[in-house]
Amino acid sequence: MEKHSLERYSRQMRFAPIGEEGQKRLAKKVVLIVGVGALGTVLANHLVRAGVGRVKIVDRDYVEMSNLQRQMLFDESDVKESLPKAIAAERKLRAINSAVQVEATVADVTASTLPALMEDVDIVLDGTDNFRTRFLLNDMCFQKGIPFAYGGAVSARGMSALFIPGKTPCLRCLINEGSGSGETCDTVGVISPVVDIVASYQVVEVIKYLVGQTEALRGTLRSFDLWGNHQFDLKMAKAKADCPTCQQRLFPALTADETEVTTLCGRETVQINRQKPFDLALWKNRLTGSANVKATPFLLRIELEEGERIVLFPDGRALVQGTEDLTRARTLYSKYIGD
């Protein structure tokens, strides 16, 4: 190993289960982190500092002031610039460790966009905030035979597990789709230490897997409540015989309809995907005069006289912020953008 690597990772390599051989293995690995918000920023920070060779990050959103309480890679300048989270995180991560290849993608993760993101990936980490995307990741990972590190945090509670195709059950075996409480960070809040702990549990299991220390894997779905002072481990012994993902191999999330209009849970936001790109410069010129328009290289933010906001992204997505009413969102979109 090069001298600067020996110095940078010296304390990590002194930990016997990793050592120099484990460090060399990490340098050859590729990980994908889906979602670069609360969990995703902690995941990326740990893995880049640990020396994973290539870290791919993807997120569809941009940095807002309410993110700064728990999303550790962002600061007030990112909010001021309205930077996409993936871009802001990429800048910070490259400054942390220039030897790691950090690749950022600003996009919505769907059944059609995910396969390209997962090319050459050794493991996928969940940094998302919704089960629709988690079940999509679960199904795609089990279809392709790639491990999936699940994590979730809300209020003072957290959960994490590492699912390995052919070795463990999948997420659907332990959590029924649609059985969640419906609580989100936007509705019941979240304290930052919960996020750090969940992400740290995820990263520890991921590092064990990447360095080949599979005998040390926890093998449980761990849940905890920091405020209530309790923790529970559910052993991942058997898959459900009728599981549509890991047993029947039907992968329902991969064949589900990708609706054009969706509500982002708990965020008072509706996403509309028109399936073709937005020319941001063109739309800035078109909308200036009818609304307050702010442009960045990554998005166009339109403050409407009605009180809501529309955010346009180059990939063809639009966020209508300030409402969860699909009819209202469609009306505003049609008024300012068209059908």
PDB file of all heavy atoms in Angstrom, residues 192-224:
ATOM      1  N   SER A 192     -31.292  13.387  15.994  1.00  0.00           N
ATOM      2  CA  SER A 192     -30.109  13.060  15.196  1.00  0.00           C
ATOM      3  C   SER A 192     -29.342  11.822  15.673  1.00  0.00           C
ATOM      4  O   SER A 192     -28.872  11.040  14.846  1.00  0.00           O
ATOM      5  CB  SER A 192     -29.180  14.276  15.159  1.00  0.00           C
ATOM      6  OG  SER A 192     -28.053  14.019  14.354  1.00  0.00           O
ATOM      7  N   PRO A 193     -29.181  11.576  16.989  1.00  0.00           N
ATOM      8  CA  PRO A 193     -28.433  10.390  17.405  1.00  0.00           C
ATOM      9  C   PRO A 193     -29.014   9.078  16.887  1.00  0.00           C
ATOM     10  O   PRO A 193     -28.265   8.123  16.643  1.00  0.00           O
ATOM     11  CB  PRO A 193     -28.506  10.454  18.939  1.00  0.00           C
ATOM     12  CG  PRO A 193     -28.653  11.896  19.245  1.00  0.00           C
ATOM     13  CD  PRO A 193     -29.518  12.438  18.146  1.00  0.00           C
ATOM     14  N   VAL A 194     -30.331   9.010  16.699  1.00  0.00           N
ATOM     15  CA  VAL A 194     -30.941   7.796  16.162  1.00  0.00           C
ATOM     16  C   VAL A 194     -30.415   7.521  14.759  1.00  0.00           C
ATOM     17  O   VAL A 194     -30.070   6.392  14.409  1.00  0.00           O
ATOM     18  CB  VAL A 194     -32.475   7.926  16.133  1.00  0.00           C
ATOM     19  CG1 VAL A 194     -33.106   6.747  15.390  1.00  0.00           C
ATOM     20  CG2 VAL A 194     -33.026   7.994  17.545  1.00  0.00           C
ATOM     21  N   VAL A 195     -30.345   8.573  13.957  1.00  0.00           N
ATOM     22  CA  VAL A 195     -29.841   8.450  12.589  1.00  0.00           C
ATOM     23  C   VAL A 195     -28.403   7.929  12.600  1.00  0.00           C
ATOM     24  O   VAL A 195     -28.053   7.001  11.863  1.00  0.00           O
ATOM     25  CB  VAL A 195     -29.912   9.813  11.874  1.00  0.00           C
ATOM     26  CG1 VAL A 195     -29.220   9.739  10.517  1.00  0.00           C
ATOM     27  CG2 VAL A 195     -31.352  10.272  11.728  1.00  0.00           C
ATOM     28  N   ASP A 196     -27.567   8.520  13.444  1.00  0.00           N
ATOM     29  CA  ASP A 196     -26.162   8.113  13.503  1.00  0.00           C
ATOM     30  C   ASP A 196     -26.019   6.644  13.892  1.00  0.00           C
ATOM     31  O   ASP A 196     -25.188   5.915  13.339  1.00  0.00           O
ATOM     32  CB  ASP A 196     -25.401   8.980  14.511  1.00  0.00           C
ATOM     33  CG  ASP A 196     -25.317  10.433  14.083  1.00  0.00           C
ATOM     34  OD1 ASP A 196     -25.573  10.715  12.903  1.00  0.00           O
ATOM     35  OD2 ASP A 196     -24.997  11.289  14.928  1.00  0.00           O
ATOM     36  N   ILE A 197     -26.832   6.202  14.858  1.00  0.00           N
ATOM     37  CA  ILE A 197     -26.725   4.824  15.330  1.00  0.00           C
ATOM     38  C   ILE A 197     -27.182   3.837  14.259  1.00  0.00           C
ATOM     39  O   ILE A 197     -26.512   2.825  14.001  1.00  0.00           O
ATOM     40  CB  ILE A 197     -27.525   4.644  16.631  1.00  0.00           C
ATOM     41  CG1 ILE A 197     -26.848   5.414  17.770  1.00  0.00           C
ATOM     42  CG2 ILE A 197     -27.653   3.161  17.009  1.00  0.00           C
ATOM     43  CD1 ILE A 197     -27.650   5.496  19.039  1.00  0.00           C
ATOM     44  N   VAL A 198     -28.314   4.119  13.626  1.00  0.00           N
ATOM     45  CA  VAL A 198     -28.801   3.222  12.568  1.00  0.00           C
ATOM     46  C   VAL A 198     -27.765   3.105  11.455  1.00  0.00           C
ATOM     47  O   VAL A 198     -27.415   2.000  11.021  1.00  0.00           O
ATOM     48  CB  VAL A 198     -30.142   3.715  11.991  1.00  0.00           C
ATOM     49  CG1 VAL A 198     -30.517   2.906  10.748  1.00  0.00           C
ATOM     50  CG2 VAL A 198     -31.245   3.605  13.032  1.00  0.00           C
ATOM     51  N   ALA A 199     -27.273   4.235  10.973  1.00  0.00           N
ATOM     52  CA  ALA A 199     -26.292   4.217   9.884  1.00  0.00           C
ATOM     53  C   ALA A 199     -25.012   3.506  10.304  1.00  0.00           C
ATOM     54  O   ALA A 199     -24.400   2.789   9.511  1.00  0.00           O
ATOM     55  CB  ALA A 199     -25.991   5.638   9.425  1.00  0.00           C
ATOM     56  N   SER A 200     -24.600   3.688  11.545  1.00  0.00           N
ATOM     57  CA  SER A 200     -23.390   3.016  12.029  1.00  0.00           C
ATOM     58  C   SER A 200     -23.586   1.503  12.071  1.00  0.00           C
ATOM     59  O   SER A 200     -22.682   0.738  11.699  1.00  0.00           O
ATOM     60  CB  SER A 200     -23.015   3.541  13.415  1.00  0.00           C
ATOM     61  OG  SER A 200     -22.640   4.903  13.343  1.00  0.00           O
ATOM     62  N   TYR A 201     -24.763   1.050  12.514  1.00  0.00           N
ATOM     63  CA  TYR A 201     -25.062  -0.381  12.463  1.00  0.00           C
ATOM     64  C   TYR A 201     -24.985  -0.894  11.025  1.00  0.00           C
ATOM     65  O   TYR A 201     -24.431  -1.974  10.762  1.00  0.00           O
ATOM     66  CB  TYR A 201     -26.459  -0.654  13.014  1.00  0.00           C
ATOM     67  CG  TYR A 201     -26.544  -0.789  14.518  1.00  0.00           C
ATOM     68  CD1 TYR A 201     -27.594  -0.201  15.219  1.00  0.00           C
ATOM     69  CD2 TYR A 201     -25.609  -1.524  15.237  1.00  0.00           C
ATOM     70  CE1 TYR A 201     -27.696  -0.326  16.602  1.00  0.00           C
ATOM     71  CE2 TYR A 201     -25.700  -1.654  16.617  1.00  0.00           C
ATOM     72  CZ  TYR A 201     -26.753  -1.057  17.297  1.00  0.00           C
ATOM     73  OH  TYR A 201     -26.848  -1.192  18.659  1.00  0.00           O
ATOM     74  N   GLN A 202     -25.538  -0.136  10.090  1.00  0.00           N
ATOM     75  CA  GLN A 202     -25.482  -0.544   8.687  1.00  0.00           C
ATOM     76  C   GLN A 202     -24.041  -0.659   8.204  1.00  0.00           C
ATOM     77  O   GLN A 202     -23.652  -1.657   7.586  1.00  0.00           O
ATOM     78  CB  GLN A 202     -26.231   0.470   7.807  1.00  0.00           C
ATOM     79  CG  GLN A 202     -27.741   0.464   7.944  1.00  0.00           C
ATOM     80  CD  GLN A 202     -28.375   1.570   7.112  1.00  0.00           C
ATOM     81  OE1 GLN A 202     -28.563   2.683   7.598  1.00  0.00           O
ATOM     82  NE2 GLN A 202     -28.709   1.273   5.866  1.00  0.00           N
ATOM     83  N   VAL A 203     -23.251   0.360   8.479  1.00  0.00           N
ATOM     84  CA  VAL A 203     -21.881   0.399   7.960  1.00  0.00           C
ATOM     85  C   VAL A 203     -21.022  -0.712   8.558  1.00  0.00           C
ATOM     86  O   VAL A 203     -20.214  -1.327   7.854  1.00  0.00           O
ATOM     87  CB  VAL A 203     -21.242   1.779   8.220  1.00  0.00           C
ATOM     88  CG1 VAL A 203     -19.748   1.756   7.918  1.00  0.00           C
ATOM     89  CG2 VAL A 203     -21.928   2.840   7.357  1.00  0.00           C
ATOM     90  N   VAL A 204     -21.183  -0.993   9.836  1.00  0.00           N
ATOM     91  CA  VAL A 204     -20.388  -2.062  10.459  1.00  0.00           C
ATOM     92  C   VAL A 204     -20.649  -3.393   9.760  1.00  0.00           C
ATOM     93  O   VAL A 204     -19.704  -4.132   9.435  1.00  0.00           O
ATOM     94  CB  VAL A 204     -20.692  -2.168  11.963  1.00  0.00           C
ATOM     95  CG1 VAL A 204     -20.098  -3.453  12.535  1.00  0.00           C
ATOM     96  CG2 VAL A 204     -20.117  -0.975  12.708  1.00  0.00           C
ATOM     97  N   GLU A 205     -21.921  -3.707   9.506  1.00  0.00           N
ATOM     98  CA  GLU A 205     -22.236  -4.968   8.826  1.00  0.00           C
ATOM     99  C   GLU A 205     -21.707  -4.968   7.394  1.00  0.00           C
ATOM    100  O   GLU A 205     -21.215  -5.987   6.894  1.00  0.00           O
ATOM    101  CB  GLU A 205     -23.747  -5.211   8.841  1.00  0.00           C
ATOM    102  CG  GLU A 205     -24.344  -5.395  10.223  1.00  0.00           C
ATOM    103  CD  GLU A 205     -23.708  -6.534  10.988  1.00  0.00           C
ATOM    104  OE1 GLU A 205     -23.915  -7.697  10.601  1.00  0.00           O
ATOM    105  OE2 GLU A 205     -22.985  -6.264  11.977  1.00  0.00           O
ATOM    106  N   VAL A 206     -21.787  -3.823   6.732  1.00  0.00           N
ATOM    107  CA  VAL A 206     -21.278  -3.718   5.366  1.00  0.00           C
ATOM    108  C   VAL A 206     -19.770  -3.938   5.328  1.00  0.00           C
ATOM    109  O   VAL A 206     -19.255  -4.661   4.473  1.00  0.00           O
ATOM    110  CB  VAL A 206     -21.653  -2.352   4.762  1.00  0.00           C
ATOM    111  CG1 VAL A 206     -20.858  -2.079   3.489  1.00  0.00           C
ATOM    112  CG2 VAL A 206     -23.147  -2.298   4.461  1.00  0.00           C
ATOM    113  N   ILE A 207     -19.044  -3.333   6.248  1.00  0.00           N
ATOM    114  CA  ILE A 207     -17.589  -3.513   6.274  1.00  0.00           C
ATOM    115  C   ILE A 207     -17.231  -4.966   6.570  1.00  0.00           C
ATOM    116  O   ILE A 207     -16.321  -5.532   5.954  1.00  0.00           O
ATOM    117  CB  ILE A 207     -16.941  -2.543   7.279  1.00  0.00           C
ATOM    118  CG1 ILE A 207     -17.027  -1.107   6.761  1.00  0.00           C
ATOM    119  CG2 ILE A 207     -15.475  -2.924   7.526  1.00  0.00           C
ATOM    120  CD1 ILE A 207     -16.456  -0.062   7.699  1.00  0.00           C
ATOM    121  N   LYS A 208     -17.935  -5.586   7.514  1.00  0.00           N
ATOM    122  CA  LYS A 208     -17.696  -7.013   7.780  1.00  0.00           C
ATOM    123  C   LYS A 208     -17.823  -7.810   6.480  1.00  0.00           C
ATOM    124  O   LYS A 208     -16.981  -8.657   6.167  1.00  0.00           O
ATOM    125  CB  LYS A 208     -18.719  -7.547   8.787  1.00  0.00           C
ATOM    126  CG  LYS A 208     -18.580  -7.068  10.209  1.00  0.00           C
ATOM    127  CD  LYS A 208     -19.731  -7.641  11.043  1.00  0.00           C
ATOM    128  CE  LYS A 208     -19.771  -7.080  12.451  1.00  0.00           C
ATOM    129  NZ  LYS A 208     -20.948  -7.600  13.220  1.00  0.00           N
ATOM    130  N   TYR A 209     -18.890  -7.533   5.735  1.00  0.00           N
ATOM    131  CA  TYR A 209     -19.127  -8.268   4.494  1.00  0.00           C
ATOM    132  C   TYR A 209     -18.036  -7.976   3.462  1.00  0.00           C
ATOM    133  O   TYR A 209     -17.510  -8.904   2.826  1.00  0.00           O
ATOM    134  CB  TYR A 209     -20.497  -7.906   3.932  1.00  0.00           C
ATOM    135  CG  TYR A 209     -20.805  -8.592   2.627  1.00  0.00           C
ATOM    136  CD1 TYR A 209     -21.298  -9.888   2.596  1.00  0.00           C
ATOM    137  CD2 TYR A 209     -20.569  -7.943   1.411  1.00  0.00           C
ATOM    138  CE1 TYR A 209     -21.565 -10.528   1.391  1.00  0.00           C
ATOM    139  CE2 TYR A 209     -20.825  -8.577   0.207  1.00  0.00           C
ATOM    140  CZ  TYR A 209     -21.321  -9.859   0.198  1.00  0.00           C
ATOM    141  OH  TYR A 209     -21.560 -10.497  -1.000  1.00  0.00           O
ATOM    142  N   LEU A 210     -17.678  -6.724   3.293  1.00  0.00           N
ATOM    143  CA  LEU A 210     -16.730  -6.350   2.242  1.00  0.00           C
ATOM    144  C   LEU A 210     -15.314  -6.874   2.505  1.00  0.00           C
ATOM    145  O   LEU A 210     -14.581  -7.162   1.560  1.00  0.00           O
ATOM    146  CB  LEU A 210     -16.703  -4.828   2.077  1.00  0.00           C
ATOM    147  CG  LEU A 210     -17.982  -4.185   1.529  1.00  0.00           C
ATOM    148  CD1 LEU A 210     -17.819  -2.670   1.451  1.00  0.00           C
ATOM    149  CD2 LEU A 210     -18.355  -4.750   0.158  1.00  0.00           C
ATOM    150  N   VAL A 211     -14.923  -6.986   3.777  1.00  0.00           N
ATOM    151  CA  VAL A 211     -13.576  -7.487   4.072  1.00  0.00           C
ATOM    152  C   VAL A 211     -13.544  -9.006   4.215  1.00  0.00           C
ATOM    153  O   VAL A 211     -12.499  -9.595   4.479  1.00  0.00           O
ATOM    154  CB  VAL A 211     -12.977  -6.832   5.335  1.00  0.00           C
ATOM    155  CG1 VAL A 211     -12.918  -5.326   5.182  1.00  0.00           C
ATOM    156  CG2 VAL A 211     -13.733  -7.235   6.603  1.00  0.00           C
ATOM    157  N   GLY A 212     -14.718  -9.648   4.050  1.00  0.00           N
ATOM    158  CA  GLY A 212     -14.759 -11.104   4.094  1.00  0.00           C
ATOM    159  C   GLY A 212     -14.954 -11.710   5.460  1.00  0.00           C
ATOM    160  O   GLY A 212     -14.807 -12.931   5.626  1.00  0.00           O
ATOM    161  N   GLN A 213     -15.330 -10.908   6.454  1.00  0.00           N
ATOM    162  CA  GLN A 213     -15.541 -11.415   7.811  1.00  0.00           C
ATOM    163  C   GLN A 213     -17.021 -11.774   8.012  1.00  0.00           C
ATOM    164  O   GLN A 213     -17.696 -11.284   8.932  1.00  0.00           O
ATOM    165  CB  GLN A 213     -15.112 -10.353   8.827  1.00  0.00           C
ATOM    166  CG  GLN A 213     -13.621 -10.120   8.869  1.00  0.00           C
ATOM    167  CD  GLN A 213     -12.892 -11.197   9.680  1.00  0.00           C
ATOM    168  OE1 GLN A 213     -13.427 -11.733  10.631  1.00  0.00           O
ATOM    169  NE2 GLN A 213     -11.668 -11.494   9.283  1.00  0.00           N
ATOM    170  N   THR A 214     -17.535 -12.633   7.143  1.00  0.00           N
ATOM    171  CA  THR A 214     -18.966 -12.946   7.164  1.00  0.00           C
ATOM    172  C   THR A 214     -19.374 -13.714   8.411  1.00  0.00           C
ATOM    173  O   THR A 214     -20.548 -13.666   8.807  1.00  0.00           O
ATOM    174  CB  THR A 214     -19.352 -13.743   5.913  1.00  0.00           C
ATOM    175  OG1 THR A 214     -18.508 -14.901   5.805  1.00  0.00           O
ATOM    176  CG2 THR A 214     -19.181 -12.890   4.663  1.00  0.00           C
ATOM    177  N   GLU A 215     -18.443 -14.408   9.055  1.00  0.00           N
ATOM    178  CA  GLU A 215     -18.791 -15.138  10.267  1.00  0.00           C
ATOM    179  C   GLU A 215     -19.136 -14.194  11.416  1.00  0.00           C
ATOM    180  O   GLU A 215     -19.770 -14.594  12.405  1.00  0.00           O
ATOM    181  CB  GLU A 215     -17.644 -16.068  10.696  1.00  0.00           C
ATOM    182  CG  GLU A 215     -16.397 -15.378  11.231  1.00  0.00           C
ATOM    183  CD  GLU A 215     -15.496 -14.807  10.144  1.00  0.00           C
ATOM    184  OE1 GLU A 215     -15.825 -14.994   8.949  1.00  0.00           O
ATOM    185  OE2 GLU A 215     -14.464 -14.203  10.500  1.00  0.00           O
ATOM    186  N   ALA A 216     -18.743 -12.929  11.296  1.00  0.00           N
ATOM    187  CA  ALA A 216     -19.020 -11.945  12.340  1.00  0.00           C
ATOM    188  C   ALA A 216     -20.330 -11.197  12.106  1.00  0.00           C
ATOM    189  O   ALA A 216     -20.719 -10.360  12.928  1.00  0.00           O
ATOM    190  CB  ALA A 216     -17.859 -10.947  12.431  1.00  0.00           C
ATOM    191  N   LEU A 217     -21.030 -11.462  10.991  1.00  0.00           N
ATOM    192  CA  LEU A 217     -22.267 -10.756  10.704  1.00  0.00           C
ATOM    193  C   LEU A 217     -23.315 -11.025  11.782  1.00  0.00           C
ATOM    194  O   LEU A 217     -23.408 -12.138  12.308  1.00  0.00           O
ATOM    195  CB  LEU A 217     -22.810 -11.167   9.336  1.00  0.00           C
ATOM    196  CG  LEU A 217     -21.976 -10.706   8.131  1.00  0.00           C
ATOM    197  CD1 LEU A 217     -22.497 -11.346   6.844  1.00  0.00           C
ATOM    198  CD2 LEU A 217     -21.997  -9.192   8.004  1.00  0.00           C
ATOM    199  N   ARG A 218     -24.105 -10.017  12.108  1.00  0.00           N
ATOM    200  CA  ARG A 218     -25.056 -10.097  13.214  1.00  0.00           C
ATOM    201  C   ARG A 218     -26.195 -11.078  12.930  1.00  0.00           C
ATOM    202  O   ARG A 218     -26.666 -11.779  13.820  1.00  0.00           O
ATOM    203  CB  ARG A 218     -25.617  -8.705  13.490  1.00  0.00           C
ATOM    204  CG  ARG A 218     -26.384  -8.582  14.789  1.00  0.00           C
ATOM    205  CD  ARG A 218     -26.848  -7.151  15.034  1.00  0.00           C
ATOM    206  NE  ARG A 218     -27.870  -6.736  14.070  1.00  0.00           N
ATOM    207  CZ  ARG A 218     -27.759  -5.677  13.272  1.00  0.00           C
ATOM    208  NH1 ARG A 218     -26.659  -4.948  13.297  1.00  0.00           N
ATOM    209  NH2 ARG A 218     -28.729  -5.361  12.436  1.00  0.00           N
ATOM    210  N   GLY A 219     -26.706 -11.071  11.705  1.00  0.00           N
ATOM    211  CA  GLY A 219     -27.751 -12.009  11.331  1.00  0.00           C
ATOM    212  C   GLY A 219     -29.103 -11.746  11.958  1.00  0.00           C
ATOM    213  O   GLY A 219     -29.903 -12.673  12.138  1.00  0.00           O
ATOM    214  N   THR A 220     -29.392 -10.484  12.294  1.00  0.00           N
ATOM    215  CA  THR A 220     -30.683 -10.142  12.894  1.00  0.00           C
ATOM    216  C   THR A 220     -31.226  -8.848  12.293  1.00  0.00           C
ATOM    217  O   THR A 220     -30.480  -8.060  11.705  1.00  0.00           O
ATOM    218  CB  THR A 220     -30.571  -9.921  14.417  1.00  0.00           C
ATOM    219  OG1 THR A 220     -29.801  -8.733  14.677  1.00  0.00           O
ATOM    220  CG2 THR A 220     -29.940 -11.107  15.105  1.00  0.00           C
ATOM    221  N   LEU A 221     -32.525  -8.659  12.458  1.00  0.00           N
ATOM    222  CA  LEU A 221     -33.133  -7.355  12.254  1.00  0.00           C
ATOM    223  C   LEU A 221     -33.136  -6.680  13.617  1.00  0.00           C
ATOM    224  O   LEU A 221     -33.829  -7.131  14.529  1.00  0.00           O
ATOM    225  CB  LEU A 221     -34.565  -7.485  11.727  1.00  0.00           C
ATOM    226  CG  LEU A 221     -35.374  -6.178  11.647  1.00  0.00           C
ATOM    227  CD1 LEU A 221     -34.823  -5.253  10.581  1.00  0.00           C
ATOM    228  CD2 LEU A 221     -36.846  -6.468  11.380  1.00  0.00           C
ATOM    229  N   ARG A 222     -32.334  -5.652  13.773  1.00  0.00           N
ATOM    230  CA  ARG A 222     -32.207  -4.974  15.070  1.00  0.00           C
ATOM    231  C   ARG A 222     -33.109  -3.745  15.097  1.00  0.00           C
ATOM    232  O   ARG A 222     -33.084  -2.916  14.177  1.00  0.00           O
ATOM    233  CB  ARG A 222     -30.763  -4.560  15.332  1.00  0.00           C
ATOM    234  CG  ARG A 222     -30.578  -3.714  16.589  1.00  0.00           C
ATOM    235  CD  ARG A 222     -29.134  -3.708  17.039  1.00  0.00           C
ATOM    236  NE  ARG A 222     -28.734  -5.034  17.512  1.00  0.00           N
ATOM    237  CZ  ARG A 222     -27.480  -5.347  17.862  1.00  0.00           C
ATOM    238  NH1 ARG A 222     -26.514  -4.442  17.751  1.00  0.00           N
ATOM    239  NH2 ARG A 222     -27.195  -6.560  18.299  1.00  0.00           N
ATOM    240  N   SER A 223     -33.903  -3.624  16.137  1.00  0.00           N
ATOM    241  CA  SER A 223     -34.726  -2.438  16.340  1.00  0.00           C
ATOM    242  C   SER A 223     -34.476  -1.904  17.739  1.00  0.00           C
ATOM    243  O   SER A 223     -34.172  -2.671  18.658  1.00  0.00           O
ATOM    244  CB  SER A 223     -36.213  -2.765  16.150  1.00  0.00           C
ATOM    245  OG  SER A 223     -36.641  -3.709  17.113  1.00  0.00           O
ATOM    246  N   PHE A 224     -34.588  -0.594  17.893  1.00  0.00           N
ATOM    247  CA  PHE A 224     -34.332   0.013  19.195  1.00  0.00           C
ATOM    248  C   PHE A 224     -35.096   1.315  19.343  1.00  0.00           C
ATOM    249  O   PHE A 224     -35.515   1.924  18.369  1.00  0.00           O
ATOM    250  CB  PHE A 224     -32.822   0.250  19.397  1.00  0.00           C
ATOM    251  CG  PHE A 224     -32.220   1.209  18.415  1.00  0.00           C
ATOM    252  CD1 PHE A 224     -32.194   2.571  18.661  1.00  0.00           C
ATOM    253  CD2 PHE A 224     -31.650   0.744  17.223  1.00  0.00           C
ATOM    254  CE1 PHE A 224     -31.641   3.460  17.754  1.00  0.00           C
ATOM    255  CE2 PHE A 224     -31.092   1.628  16.311  1.00  0.00           C
ATOM    256  CZ  PHE A 224     -31.088   2.995  16.582  1.00  0.00           C
TER     257      PHE A 224
END
